[in-house]
Structures are given as C-alpha cells and as structure tokens.
C-alpha cells in the first residue's frame, strides 16, 4: 500500500472529529457508518493494520476534543462518542480499552477512555445499573476477553493515572462477572502480580484488589481466595515494605477487604497479626499511610467491636498520641475511632435497655468507653481549644475542635452521669478566661454533655449557668463564643425543657429575659442569629403540650415580627439564616395555643404577599432563580403549617376560608415555575389545603389535576412523586365520592408507577396505601379497578412474604411494603362494605388470608404491620361475613395470630384484635 495516500486524510483527521467526515483510506472513501464497522473490525485485524492505526489516532483525537475548552468542539466530540457507543457498543468499549492500555497515548485521552468505560458498567440509579449489567453480560465473549486483557495489561503501565483508572474498571467488571461465575481466573492472575519486581505493578494490583473488595459481595469470593487476598494486602502493609506507594495501596485495600475477613477475625493468631500490622501502620512516617491505617481501625471498631478487648490499651495509646501530636487528617480519624466505639455501645445499650450503673452479663457490651473515661475525656477536652478562626462562617467546616466536641457528646450519651464530674472542672476553669478559645471551649463542652446524663444531674447546673449564658450571648465580645452559647442554649431547651420535666428550667421569672435575649441576638451576625433562631425553635417546641395557655402567648406577636424581620435581612442568605427563621416561625405557630389563632390569621396575608412577590420577578439569572425557588419552598412550607394550625378547629377554619381561593391560585402559579423543590413544598401545602377545605376542594381540581399528574410522573425526583401520592390520599379523604371523575387518570398513573423499574422502591408502599384511600372514597365504584389492582397487590404480597436471609434494611423495607399492601386491602374491604357488590371480593379472600398466614409465620413483622394485618383480618370478616366464614376458620391468622395480638402490650394492636375477634365471631356464627 502506498503510504503517501494516507497523508491528506491523516492531517485532516487530527484536526476534526471523526463523525460527519468521509475518510480516504487506501484510496477508498469510507462513510460514517463504515467507520463504526471498521472500528469493530479492528478486533479481528492484525496489530500493525493501517486501519487500526488510523482509527486509534481518531479515537484519541475525539477523546481529547471532548475535553476541549472550546464548547462547540467539546459538544461535537461528545456527540461523536455517543453516536459511536449507540451504533456499535462492542467496538466502542474495545477502542476505549485499547486507548487506556496504550502507553504511547496522551494521559488525558487515556483517563477519559477509562472513565467512559467505568460509566458504561455502573450507574447510581438502580434501574440504569441493571440495564448496564445486562448489556455487558450480553456482549460477545471474545470481545469481553479482549477488553479484560487490555485492562489487566494496563496495570503494568508506567503511567499512574492509567493504572489507577484500569484498577477501578477491572473492579466494576468483576462486580458484574464474579457473581455470574465468570472470570474465575481474575483473582489468581492479580495475586500472581503481587510478586512482580516492578513496584508500580504491585501498587496497581493492590489498588485493584481494594476496589474489587468494594464492588463484590463477600459471599461471591471463596475463603481460600479471601485468605490469599488478605495475606497479600497485609504483607504489602508491613513496615518492611520499602515502597510507600505499595504500603498506602495495601492499607487502603485492607479498608475495603475488612468485610471479607470474618473468618480471619475469628482466628486469634490471624486477628493478632492483622491488628499488629494496622497499629504499626498508624506510626508510618508517611501521613497518608497513617490516615489510611486509622481509617482501617475505625472500620474494625464497627465491624469487629466484640473482638477489640485485647487491643484497646494499645489503641488508646496510639490514638492519644495522634490526637495530641499528628497532622489534622490523622488526628481526626483517631477521634473518629472513639466516636465509632460510642456508636456501637449506644446501639447495644439502647437495644438492651441500657442501665448505666450495672453491667449485665448477657448484654454484649464491653463498656470500653466507661473504662477509658478518665483518660479519654481529658484528651477530648484538650481538642476543644484547637478552634479555627473562621469555622463558624464555613458551613462545611470540620476540624479537631468540632470532632472532639462531637465525640464528647457521644461519650455523654454512652456513659450518662459519669461524664459530668469529669467535664465540670474544665468548664469552671475556662468559662471566664480572657482568651476567647477557652471561653468557647468551655461553652462547647457544656453544650456537648446535655444529652445522656439524667435531668436530675443537669438541671441544677443549668439553673446556675443560664443567667451567665444569657449575658454572654449579648455581651461577649467574640463572635465564636456567642455562636456556641446560642447553640448551647438550644441544646438546653431541646433536652431539658418540656412538659415531661419534673423541674422546669423556664419559669415566669426568667421567660421574658430569655425571649428578649434571643430576639436581640437575632440581630447579631448571621451565624449567631441562626443559632438563636434554633434556640427559639426548641423553646417553642417545649411548650407544645402545656394546655390552653402558653407562657409564650404574651410574646407571640413580637416573636413572629422579629422572625419576619430576620427573613428580610440583606445577609439572610448567609449561614442558612433565612431558612432557620422560617423553620422557627413554623414551629412557633405549630406549638401555639388557641389563644393565638387571631394572630396566626394575621400572618396569612403577609406570607401570601411574600409568595406573590417571588412570582412577579422576571428575567432572573440561574443563581437568582435558585434563590427564588428556595424562598418559594420556604413560604409554601410556612403556609402549610399555618393552614394545618387553622384547620384544627371549626371556628378558625371558617375564618381561614376567606383566603383559600387566593392561596390555591398562588400554589398553581408556583407549580408553573416547574422547580422540583418548590413542587414538593407546594404539593405538601395543597394536601393541607385539601384537608382544610374538604369537599369544596373539588372546584380546584380542573386546574390542579395536570400538576397532580406531573407529580405522579416524576420518577427522577422520586420524593416529589412520593409526596404527590400522599396528596392523592389527602384529596380522596377531602372529596370522597367527588374525586370519582379524576380516578381513571390517577389509577392509570399509579399502576404505571408500580410497573416501572425506574421509580425508587420507597414510593411503592405508599402507592398501595393510596389504592385503599381511593376505594374508601369511591366505594363500590372501585369495581372497575379491581382487575388491575388486585393482581398487583397479590404479586407484591408474594414478594414480601418471604424474607429469610434478608438484612435489616431489607426487612424494614419489606415491612413498609407489607403495610402498604395491607392498607390497600383494608381500604378496599371497607369501601365495599354494605354494598351489593361485596361478592366481587370473595375470589380474592383465600390469597389474602394466605398472605396473613405467611407473614405471621415469618415472625419478622413490626408492630405497625401487626396492627394493620389484624385489622385486615377483621375488615375481611366484617365485609364478607358468612361468605368467608369457613375460609377464616381454616386460617392460622384467625387463631394463633389473633391470640398473639389479643395478648399484646400495645393497646392499639390489642384494640384492633378485639374488634377483629368480634367480626370473626359474627362471620362464623351466621
């Protein structure tokens, strides 16, 4: 072949993207579609093929163009890649893996090739991930083998970015193939790399093993392979390993491999070895290795808590040294270890009804925190004095002082009263010092221990401190001290104020002073004002159940006015101040008594006017549009709370009705803005309005229905869809039979939602409940939906009947699903009661009773499901009567389950069971 023929197109090729071009190769014109076929053909061509060289150059150019600063070049290249992928996936993935493996290619094109490969194998959304997995599995075996060969070859590359990217892609492929019993040779070939002489190959292989352990479930890997992986990883971590890169990769790999190590942690010698190597790595001269080693310790503390006893003294010594002397990323992980131990012990003690004063032999708690207390608390208190100057202004700030305070709070929750005498001397010594760090640290320490110890221990201390703190909030010259003081007051009101407290800390003598100080502090810097709003929030919440008259009532108008003033501050966008002010206003309204109803009514037109203003603003930048959306969400949320408050009594509801039409009109205009967050808040507010207006809500349905349908179709923002499903229930309860004209559309959409694998699973249980709401509203008119709804309910019931081997999260979801299904059955039975069409339900009764029997036998029902299930048994007997008598008598539910519910300590379950027993007796005796 005459190589001179290649020069014109090659010079063009390097300047422009592939697609939309004609290439002249070997004297022939090749069209766009031929190029795609050509790229796939590369797999079958010899390595030195001219075609391959041309196409390899072309893919490189497109990948580089896809990262161009020129938007049009970038867009063109992205479209080319997309088109290539859609027209020939095998060729596309093969070309990318070849690019990644080729050391002669630019780093940028190789990195992007790897990233695209990775994204072609995985996605965050469950349904999309499933599609990508199926797509990979269906590819030609020969192509996949070639791709995997290229990926493993890349691990030997001299370029770090290429190796690291390949490691991630190999793990993604392993995550798909190993569970299918494919690529069985992978782990063996990776382990053989560990003994390679080039250090960079060893490093890349350990990195790959780490990612693999992250992607693959432990039950997919044989124990023999697990042992070999752990051996390789732990050897790589050893202090004798000369390369820091290898040691770091090994330490990070261990972090991901710990989930595989159950058998090894049960073996004393193997566990000792792993723990020794991890503890040694915390003393490495390299900061990243020390940090990664402490991250391993944090993971071990939660995964293998019960195995830690013999190592705790050594771990305390190395964590104390790190907290005192090491760089911040390492010290933070050292503190995180103790926070993690607290989390474990709090969970155990809560589960076993923890008594702080007696060690019960059968409680699997080793009281590590209690034992470490005398040394641990001083270590944490020391960190509180290591604040940063600007920490209160930075929302995402996380430093040693914050980590220490958070851990101190967890220690207080773990050990209760024992912490108080250890912390109080520190507070007394530092609270009046001239250095702001000491005053702030002392205040932070006090705020941190307010949850955990008994009120009897804390209330006397708070009574002494309260006056001092109110003075500090207004008079202290330092912003940080005021910020932490306001936060601590909020904690006092959250944990030590309320109708359940024996000794009130807020009295007629100090209530006015507290409110005056908080309202004054709302004028302070945004971070202080935001914390003061938070304190007022908990102050109001504590007066929720005080009876007909609240101590806040005389100050209600002043509080509301102050909060509205805060929302108009020019700097209200900082430190979440505007959001905090509206949330506090909502809580003040929600917890107010009937005395304040006239004042609450006065707020309605004010908030309506604010919402109206946001709708008038035109031609906003994207940043301004985002702020407008956020404000609309806050205002809709505020109106929702006000509507709920005023709808609670007939008199206030009647007074509110004058605003209903205008409010609904505003909500419809908000929907027209099409923002997901606003959509959600406005939808919730409409649910409250439907409850308030009752059957009159029917007049809004013609204008509102299209937005209701849009909400039900919103698979992407599934929370919006879930909220909309809830609002359908609200509307059904409000309109009853008047909802009938809209039911065909609503039911069609709900059935579509249930059939979709794109919709997040959490939305499905409330959809089933919604069937019950619709049936209750329209009664026997639900007949035409039975043939669609009942098979859906039956197949979901079968799915949720068997939970053996499921983890806690799955059991929790299964119970939500069961509850939704049962609520649907309950609503359908009640809807058809006393109708001549009840016989339509008889064919479904055996499957429903079978479902009740199955979930009873599974023995993992929560109390909510138990109550709903026994209610369904009663509804079935009540509605079908003698038609179901013999069926009921044959079921387990009518005997064993019923008796268990009758003996329940939960009065609601017992009540439902007693009613069900009467309904069953009537059905059987007829």
């Amino acid at each position: 072949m005459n190589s001179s023929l290649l020069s014109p197109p090659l010079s063009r090729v390097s300047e422009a993207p592939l697609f939309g071009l004609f290439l002249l190769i070997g004297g022939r014109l090749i069209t766009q579609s031929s190029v795609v076929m050509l790229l796939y053909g590369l797999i079958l061509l010899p390595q030195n093929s001219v075609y391959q060289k041309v196409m390899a150059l072309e893919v490189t150019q497109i990948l580089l163009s896809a990262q161009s600063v020129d938007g049009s070049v970038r867009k063109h290249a992205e479209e080319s890649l997309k088109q290539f992928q859609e027209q020939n996936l095998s060729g596309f993935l093969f070309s990318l893996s070849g690019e990644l493996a080729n050391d002669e290619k630019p780093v940028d094109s190789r990195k992007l090739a790897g990233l695209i490969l990775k994204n072609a194998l995985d996605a965050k959304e469950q349904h999309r991930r499933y599609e990508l997995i199926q797509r990979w599995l269906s590819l030609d075996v020969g192509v996949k083998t070639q791709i995997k060969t290229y990926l493993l070859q890349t691990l030997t590359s001299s370029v770090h970015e290429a190796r690291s990217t390949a490691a991630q892609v190999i793990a993604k492929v392993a995550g798909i193939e190993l569970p299918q019993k494919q690529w069985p040779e992978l782990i063996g070939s990776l382990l053989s790399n560990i003994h390679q002489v080039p250090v960079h190959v060893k490093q890349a292989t350990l990195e790959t093993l780490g990612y693999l352990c992250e992607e693959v479930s432990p039950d997919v890997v044989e124990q023999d392979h697990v042992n070999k992986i752990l051996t390789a990883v732990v050897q790589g971590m050893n202090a004798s390993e000369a390369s820091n890169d290898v040691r770091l990769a090994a330490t990070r790999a261990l972090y991901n491999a710990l989930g595989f190590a159950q058998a090894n942690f049960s073996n004393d010698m193997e566990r000792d070895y792993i723990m020794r190597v991890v503890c040694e790595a915390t003393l490495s001269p390299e900061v990243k290795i020390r940090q990664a080693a402490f991250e391993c310790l944090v993971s071990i503390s939660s995964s293998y808590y019960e195995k830690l006893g013999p190592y705790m003294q050594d771990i305390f010594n190395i964590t104390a040294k790190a907290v005192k002397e090491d760089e911040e990323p390492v010290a933070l992980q050292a503190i995180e270890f103790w926070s993690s131990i607290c989390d474990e012990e709090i969970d155990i003690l809560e589960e076993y009804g923890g008594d702080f004063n007696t060690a019960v032999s059968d409680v699997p708690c080793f009281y590590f925190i209690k034992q470490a207390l005398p040394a641990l608390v001083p270590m944490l208190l020391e960190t509180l004095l290591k604040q940063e100057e600007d920490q209160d202004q930075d929302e995402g700030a996380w430093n040693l002082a914050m980590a220490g305070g958070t851990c101190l709070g967890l220690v207080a929750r773990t050990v209760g009263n024992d912490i108080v005498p250890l912390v109080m001397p520190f507070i007394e010594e530092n609270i009046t010092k001239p250095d702001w760090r000491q005053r702030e640290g002392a205040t932070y320490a006090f705020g941190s221990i307010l949850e955990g110890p008994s009120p009897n221990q804390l209330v006397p201390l708070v009574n002494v401190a309260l006056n001092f703190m109110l003075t500090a909030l207004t008079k202290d010259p330092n912003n940080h001290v005021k910020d932490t003081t306001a936060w601590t007051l909020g904690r006092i009101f959250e944990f030590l104020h309320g109708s359940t407290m024996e000794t009130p800390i807020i009295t007629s003598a100090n209530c006015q002073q507290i409110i005056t100080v908080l309202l004054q502090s709302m004028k302070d810097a945004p971070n202080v004002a935001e914390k003061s709003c938070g304190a007022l929030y908990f102050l109001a919440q504590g007066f929720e159940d005080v009876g007909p008259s609240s101590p806040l009532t005389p100050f209600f108008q002043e509080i509301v006015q102050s909060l509205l003033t805060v929302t108009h501050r020019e700097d209200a966008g900082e430190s979440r101040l505007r959001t905090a002010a509206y949330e506090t206003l909502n809580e003040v309204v929600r917890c107010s008594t009937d005395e304040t109803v006239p004042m609450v009514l006065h707020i309605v037109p004010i908030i309506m006017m604010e919402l109206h203003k946001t709708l008038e603003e035109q031609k906003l930048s994207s940043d301004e549009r985002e702020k407008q959306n956020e404000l609309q969400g806050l205002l809709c949320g505020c109106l929702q709370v006000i509507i709920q408050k005023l709808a609670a009594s007939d008199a206030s509801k009647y007074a509110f009705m004058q605003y209903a039409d205008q409010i609904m009109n505003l909500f419809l205009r908000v929907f027209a803005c099409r923002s997901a967050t606003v959509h959600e808040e406005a939808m919730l507010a409409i649910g409250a309005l439907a409850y308030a207006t009752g059957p009159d809500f029917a007049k809004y349905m013609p204008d509102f229905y299209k937005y209701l349908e849009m909400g039900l179709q919103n698979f992407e923002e599934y929370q919006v869809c879930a909220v909309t499903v809830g609002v359908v229930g609200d509307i059904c309860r409000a309109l009853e039979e008047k909802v009938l004209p809209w039911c065909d559309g609503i039911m069609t959409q709900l059935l579509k939602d249930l059939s979709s694998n794109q919709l997040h699973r959490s939305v499905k249980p409330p959809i089933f409940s919604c069937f019950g709401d619709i049936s209750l509203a329209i009664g026997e008119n639900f007949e035409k939906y039975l043939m669609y709804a009942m098979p859906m309910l039956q197949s979901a019931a079968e799915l949720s009947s068997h939970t053996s081997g499921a983890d806690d999260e799955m059991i929790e979801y299964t119970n939500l699903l069961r509850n939704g299904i049962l609520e649907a059955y309950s609503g359908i039975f009640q809807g058809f009661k006393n109708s001549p069409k009840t016989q339509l339900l008889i064919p479904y009764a055996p499957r429903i009773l079978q479902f009740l029997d199955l979930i009873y036998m599974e023995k993992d029902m929560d109390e909510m499901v138990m109550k709903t299930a026994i209610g369904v048994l009663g509804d079935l007997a009540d509605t079908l009567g003698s038609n179901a008598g013999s069926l009921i008598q044959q079921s387990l539910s009518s005997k064993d389950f019923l008796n268990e519910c009758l003996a329940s300590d939960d009065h609601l379950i017992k009540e439902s069971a007693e009613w069900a027993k009467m309904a069953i007796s009537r059905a059987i005796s007829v």
Side-chain angles (χ1 to χ4, degrees):
M1 185 180 285
N2 183 348
S3 61
S4 64
L5 284 173
L6 288 171
S7 51
L10 267 178
S11 61
R12 283 212 328 261
V13 162
S14 61
E15 290 165 9
L18 168 61
F19 293 101
L21 290 180
F22 291 91
L23 289 181
L24 184 65
I25 297 182
R28 288 184 301 149
L29 274 175
I30 296 184
T31 61
Q32 178 177 314
S33 57
S34 311
V35 168
V36 175
M37 291 312 296
L38 175 62
L39 271 161
Y40 182 51
L42 296 182
I43 297 161
L44 308 172
L45 289 171
Q47 286 294 310
N48 63 354
S49 157
V50 173
Y51 293 123
Q52 180 140 353
K53 287 176 183 170
V54 173
M55 296 321 303
L57 178 67
E58 193 52 60
V59 169
T60 306
Q61 186 54 54
I62 297 173
L63 289 165
L64 292 172
S65 297
Q67 301 170 72
S68 168
V69 290
D70 183 327
S72 61
V73 172
R74 192 169 64 247
K75 190 177 176 207
H76 203 113
E78 286 167 356
E79 284 169 3
S80 300
L81 288 166
K82 188 180 175 194
Q83 200 171 349
F84 184 6
Q85 182 172 4
E86 286 168 358
Q87 291 187 9
N88 188 328
L89 182 66
S90 296
F92 179 68
L93 297 178
F94 177 81
S95 300
L96 293 174
S97 60
E99 184 78 14
L100 180 61
N102 190 338
D103 267 349
E104 293 174 11
K105 295 294 179 184
V107 173
D108 287 346
S109 68
R110 294 175 77 182
K111 272 166 65 179
L112 183 58
L115 182 64
I116 296 170
L117 258 177
K118 192 172 83 159
N119 291 341
L121 299 167
D122 196 14
K124 281 182 184 169
E125 297 83 14
Q126 217 170 346
H127 68 94
R128 178 71 183 140
R129 187 162 184 266
Y130 177 77
E131 285 168 14
L132 294 176
I133 289 170
Q134 295 312 309
R135 196 174 74 167
W136 172 263
L137 290 171
S138 65
L139 287 181
D140 176 76
V141 175
V143 177
K144 287 192 288 190
T145 303
Q146 287 269 10
I147 291 170
K148 291 186 289 193
T149 303
Y150 269 149
L151 290 171
L152 288 170
Q153 181 187 318
T154 311
L155 294 182
T156 64
S157 168
S158 57
V159 178
H160 174 261
E161 289 93 334
R163 296 196 305 273
S164 188
T165 307
Q168 293 173 57
V169 181
I170 289 167
K172 293 291 179 193
V173 176
I176 296 171
E177 294 204 350
L178 292 184
Q180 306 288 331
K181 305 278 186 253
Q182 297 175 18
W183 211 2
E185 70 279 11
L186 168 66
I187 292 173
S189 64
L190 286 173
L191 289 167
S192 67
N193 273 358
I194 292 290
H195 308 295
Q196 296 279 333
V197 178
V199 165
H200 68 267
V201 179
K202 193 171 180 179
Q203 178 272 330
T205 305
L206 286 164
E207 190 176 350
T208 309
L209 287 169
Y211 287 133
L212 187 145
C213 291
E214 192 175 18
E215 290 294 330
V216 176
S217 169
D219 54 10
V220 168
V221 184
E222 297 166 15
Q223 187 59 43
D224 180 49
H225 270 149
V226 170
N227 294 341
K228 286 176 178 168
I229 290 170
L230 283 169
T231 301
V233 167
V234 176
Q235 281 176 352
M237 287 175 69
N238 239 315
S240 58
E241 171 57 58
S243 163
N244 276 340
D245 288 344
V246 168
R247 214 173 163 201
L248 178 61
T251 310
R252 287 177 174 166
L254 179 67
Y255 178 83
N256 289 326
L258 284 167
F260 291 70
Q262 271 93 349
N264 312 82
F265 263 80
S266 298
N267 177 310
D268 291 356
M269 280 178 63
E270 292 183 22
R271 183 177 67 248
D272 284 348
Y273 181 53
I274 293 170
M275 291 301 292
R276 181 174 65 75
V277 171
V278 173
C279 290
E280 280 175 3
T282 65
L283 306 172
S284 160
E286 176 59 44
V287 64
K288 285 183 178 172
I289 295 173
R290 296 200 300 277
Q291 183 182 346
F294 274 113
E295 283 168 5
C296 288
L297 278 181
V298 173
S299 179
I300 289 166
S301 70
S302 58
S303 302
Y304 302 106
Y305 166 83
E306 70 286 356
K307 306 285 187 193
L308 283 175
Y311 316 105
M312 286 306 282
Q313 186 58 55
D314 288 336
I315 292 174
F316 180 82
N317 293 339
I318 58 177
T319 52
K321 186 176 189 301
V323 172
K324 206 167 196 159
E325 300 168 12
D326 214 326
E327 294 183 38
E328 186 170 82
V330 182
L332 287 172
Q333 288 304 318
I335 293 174
E336 186 60 29
F337 172 83
W338 291 102
S339 292
S340 177
I341 295 286
C342 287
D343 286 334
E344 290 302 308
E345 297 197 344
I346 288 166
D347 286 349
I348 293 166
L349 293 168
E350 278 179 1
E351 193 176 332
Y352 288 84
D355 179 346
F356 293 127
N357 300 316
T358 55
V360 184
S361 56
D362 59 351
V363 177
C365 182
F366 293 96
Y367 300 95
F368 293 137
I369 298 297
K370 197 168 187 171
Q371 290 168 43
L373 215 52
L376 180 60
V377 171
M379 177 184 93
L380 294 173
L381 291 172
E382 205 175 304
T383 67
L384 302 188
L385 304 175
K386 296 182 179 177
Q387 308 94 323
E388 288 172 5
E389 286 286 352
D390 58 349
Q391 64 183 34
D392 295 325
Q393 273 68 43
D394 179 5
E395 270 187 50
W398 186 246
N399 58 39
L400 213 54
M402 291 172 154
T406 302
C407 187
L408 191 66
L410 289 167
V411 171
R413 287 176 57 200
T414 310
V415 302
N417 293 344
D418 291 355
I419 198 167
V420 178
L422 293 169
V423 173
M424 285 315 292
F426 174 84
I427 296 170
E428 288 159 2
E429 186 189 335
N430 290 288
I431 197 76
T432 54
K433 285 280 167 71
D435 182 350
W436 73 265
R437 290 176 187 281
Q438 289 172 289
R439 298 197 306 279
E440 194 275 341
T443 311
Y444 191 17
F446 191 47
S448 298
I449 63 165
L450 291 169
E451 184 187 9
S454 69
N456 295 342
Q457 279 267 324
L458 294 172
V459 168
L461 301 173
V462 167
N463 284 333
V464 172
L466 194 56
N467 220 22
F468 180 87
M469 297 188 77
L470 292 169
T471 305
L473 184 52
T474 48
K475 300 277 170 61
D476 197 286
N478 185 272
N479 177 287
H480 295 294
V481 177
K482 288 195 279 190
D483 180 294
T484 305
T485 303
W487 172 79
T488 301
L489 285 168
R491 300 261 299 174
I492 289 171
F493 301 150
E494 182 180 2
F495 298 114
L496 299 170
H497 157 58
S499 54
T500 56
M501 289 293 148
E502 286 175 27
T503 318
I505 52 166
I506 295 163
T507 61
S508 53
N510 64 14
C511 188
Q512 181 165 3
Q513 184 199 1
I514 291 169
I515 290 164
T516 304
V517 167
L518 292 179
L519 299 189
Q520 178 64 32
S521 296
M522 283 188 215
K523 299 171 187 169
D524 209 317
N527 60 306
V528 176
E530 186 264 338
K531 301 286 194 314
S532 300
C533 287
L536 185 55
Y537 177 100
F538 289 115
L539 182 69
Q541 195 177 78
F543 287 127
E544 186 179 358
D545 303 312
V546 291
S549 182
S550 163
L552 286 192
T553 302
F555 311 103
F556 185 85
Q557 199 146 359
E558 189 186 352
I559 290 170
V560 168
Q561 190 51 58
S562 297
L563 288 164
L564 290 171
T565 304
V566 169
T567 66
H568 291 125
R569 279 176 55 157
E570 283 195 14
D571 55 4
E574 296 172 32
S575 298
R576 280 187 74 256
L577 178 54
R578 183 177 287 111
T579 304
Y582 276 116
E583 285 174 353
T584 303
L585 176 61
N586 294 351
E587 198 65 3
V588 168
V589 168
R590 193 183 69 77
C591 300
S592 63
T593 56
D594 291 345
E595 304 166 294
T596 60
V597 161
M599 290 182 272
V600 174
L601 265 169
H602 282 303
I603 306 172
V604 178
I606 297 170
I607 303 296
M608 283 169 59
M609 180 52 72
E610 292 293 325
L611 188 52
H612 176 77
K613 276 188 214 162
T614 69
L615 294 163
E616 295 302 297
E617 294 169 19
Q618 301 296 324
K619 295 181 181 171
L620 300 173
S621 69
S622 61
D623 193 33
E624 288 168 333
R625 168 88 50 208
E626 197 178 319
K627 284 177 182 165
Q628 178 206 44
N629 289 343
E630 189 185 340
L631 181 54
Q632 286 175 350
L634 292 170
L635 292 165
C636 289
C638 189
L639 283 171
Q640 179 200 347
V641 172
I642 292 170
I643 293 166
Q644 285 169 333
K645 188 72 191 174
L646 295 173
S649 77
D650 288 342
S652 56
K653 190 195 294 188
Y654 179 76
F656 163 75
M657 279 314 185
Q658 60 182 307
Y659 299 114
D661 290 357
Q662 291 166 273
I663 287 181
M664 188 65 192
N665 186 42
L666 284 170
F667 291 154
L668 292 172
R669 288 180 63 193
V670 168
F671 279 123
C673 295
R674 299 280 179 87
S675 155
T677 49
V678 166
H679 200 152
E680 194 175 336
E681 299 290 350
M683 193 61 84
L684 283 164
I686 280 179
L689 189 65
Y691 174 78
T693 53
D696 290 347
F697 191 83
K699 65 181 174 183
Y700 305 129
M701 283 301 287
D703 291 324
F704 172 56
Y705 179 73
K706 65 179 175 187
Y707 298 116
L708 189 75
E709 199 166 53
M710 272 167 52
L712 293 175
Q713 289 165 352
N714 197 341
F715 291 172
E716 292 300 309
E717 288 119 0
Y718 65 88
Q719 295 94 334
V720 174
C721 187
V723 163
T724 311
V725 170
V727 170
V728 170
D730 294 333
I731 290 169
C732 287
R733 285 184 285 278
L735 296 188
E736 295 180 331
E737 280 210 335
K738 284 188 178 180
V739 80
L740 193 56
W742 313 101
C743 283
D744 282 1
I746 290 170
M747 279 299 293
T748 302
Q749 196 51 56
L750 292 176
L751 290 163
K752 271 187 193 167
D753 286 355
L754 285 173
S755 308
S756 164
N757 65 352
Q758 290 180 24
L759 185 61
H760 195 275
R761 70 179 191 182
S762 65
V763 188
K764 300 197 174 183
I767 291 175
F768 286 125
S769 299
C770 201
F771 286 174
D773 294 329
I774 293 168
S775 177
L776 269 172
I778 63 173
E780 63 181 29
N781 293 304
F782 196 80
E783 174 193 353
K784 62 175 169 177
Y785 308 125
L786 283 174
M787 62 187 288
Y788 307 105
M790 287 310 230
M792 282 272 196
L793 285 162
Q794 281 172 359
S795 58
E798 278 166 31
L799 267 176
S800 75
S801 301
H802 308 291
T803 53
S804 55
D807 59 20
D808 290 350
E809 190 184 337
M810 192 62 200
I811 289 171
E812 187 180 341
Y813 173 71
T814 302
N815 274 321
L816 287 171
L817 186 59
R818 290 168 176 171
N819 200 60
I821 295 163
L822 292 164
E823 285 181 344
Y825 284 143
S826 183
I828 290 166
F829 280 127
Q830 289 179 43
F832 276 81
K833 194 187 170 187
N834 300 329
S835 152
K837 294 182 178 176
T838 46
Q839 76 275 8
L840 293 171
L841 301 179
I842 294 168
Y844 302 110
R847 296 284 285 276
I848 293 170
L849 287 165
Q850 186 187 3
F851 174 50
L852 293 174
D853 287 351
L854 282 169
I855 61 173
Y856 170 63
M857 288 188 291
E858 282 288 319
K859 299 291 182 199
D860 57 7
M861 264 188 286
D862 60 23
E863 289 182 342
M864 175 179 69
V865 174
M866 206 172 194
K867 178 185 169 297
T868 320
I870 203 67
V872 168
L873 183 64
D875 289 327
L876 186 149
D878 192 39
T879 300
L880 299 183
S882 58
N883 292 314
S886 60
L887 280 171
I888 292 169
Q889 279 181 300
Q890 292 161 30
S891 79
L892 265 179
S893 306
S894 65
K895 303 177 193 69
D896 299 359
F897 181 38
L898 181 63
N899 289 334
E900 197 172 303
C901 292
L902 286 166
S904 171
D905 295 335
D906 185 310
H907 76 278
L908 290 173
I909 293 173
K910 196 169 185 174
E911 216 172 82
S912 292
E914 282 164 357
W915 176 79
K917 185 182 179 182
M918 282 164 51
I920 290 166
S921 301
R922 286 197 300 272
I924 291 169
S925 63
V926 174

